[in-house]
Amino acid sequence: MNRTPRTPLGLVRARPEPPYTFTFDGRTLTALPGQSLAAALWSAGILSWRTTRGSAAPRGVFCGIGVCHDCLATVNGRPNQRACLVAVRPGDTVTTQEGTGHDHGR
């Protein structure tokens, strides 16, 4: 009997293209084609990629559907990108967003 592996990809019989790399705060990570930035960061064990304006509290995904804006990240120098909605592309440079993501930080 040929059993399908009990992993998310195995359960749906997915055969994605090979992973590619991107960087997060200087660290090289991998993502699958079409994978959201939030999913790729979660897969790497990273749960926070933004700090709040006032108290610099860490934030990551909250709603996962683009409503709450807790998952904002800076992607290729562009602040305020919703990591749950943005697909990672090969070679992307992602950095933790501090405050508003603009130079003044607030």
Side-chain angles (χ1 to χ4, degrees):
M1 184 169 152
N2 187 6
R3 290 187 53 104
T4 302
R6 299 199 58 84
T7 65
L9 293 176
L11 290 171
V12 296
R13 294 183 180 89
R15 289 179 176 73
E17 296 293 318
Y20 46 79
T21 61
F22 71 102
T23 62
F24 173 71
D25 288 345
R27 180 176 157 195
T28 300
L29 303 175
T30 59
L32 294 172
Q35 191 172 35
S36 73
L37 174 56
L41 292 171
W42 269 355
S43 293
I46 298 166
L47 303 179
S48 173
W49 48 85
R50 177 177 85 86
T51 61
T52 59
R53 287 179 278 205
S55 64
R59 292 289 186 266
V61 171
F62 182 72
C63 74
I65 59 173
V67 175
C68 74
H69 297 155
D70 259 2
C71 67
L72 298 176
T74 300
V75 180
N76 299 321
R78 292 184 61 212
N80 301 312
Q81 302 302 299
R82 288 180 272 181
C84 66
L85 299 180
V86 172
V88 182
R89 295 174 304 177
D92 275 351
T93 300
V94 181
T95 55
T96 295
Q97 179 166 311
E98 296 180 15
T100 64
H102 299 283
D103 289 338
H104 51 78
R106 298 221 178 247

